[in-house]
Amino acid sequence: MAATSPICLAAEKSGQFLYVSYRFGNFVNQGAINEYLIDAANRQLLPLSGQPTTDIASAPIGVLTDPRGLHLYFGLGQNPQLSWRMRARTSIPSIP
């Protein structure tokens, strides 16, 4: 099952990566976040090869990056303090 029903977008500070949050993830009752490389020259989004979809506990209600480009924050209804720490160079998030 693929992630469906996009809800929110967030780009990190370099403008090279875009994060898309989805209401429905790969599993029942889960949401998802997909990571894309922004190919500005060819005007397209390229899924990251290492981890294109990350399933999360429920549908996110919002997603944003911090000004330093180190964290991706997403809110899950009553649990808005979840975050990812973005890895240097790839920007593929890892859960702390």
Side-chain angles (χ1 to χ4, degrees), residues 13-26:
K13 81 174 201 172
S14 75
Q16 294 180 329
F17 298 95
L18 179 72
Y19 300 91
V20 180
S21 64
Y22 292 88
R23 181 178 310 268
F24 305 108
N26 294 314

Side-chain angles (χ1 to χ4, degrees), residues 3 5-23 31-39 44-56 60-75 83-95:
S5 299
I7 300 172
C8 303
L9 303 173
E12 55 82 52
K13 81 174 201 172
S14 75
Q16 294 180 329
F17 298 95
L18 179 72
Y19 300 91
V20 180
S21 64
Y22 292 88
R23 181 178 310 268
I33 296 179
N34 285 6
E35 303 89 34
Y36 296 95
L37 174 68
I38 298 171
D39 180 357
Q44 61 184 347
L45 296 175
L46 304 171
L48 294 182
S49 59
Q51 184 181 5
T53 301
T54 300
D55 292 291
I56 54 178
I61 59 170
V63 62
L64 59 97
T65 59
D66 80 298
R68 296 179 300 158
L70 299 176
H71 293 88
L72 176 71
Y73 296 96
F74 54 93
S83 71
W84 278 331
R85 180 166 177 81
M86 293 185 225
R87 295 183 199 153
R89 296 192 188 154
T90 63
S91 212
I92 297 172
S94 60
I95 297 176

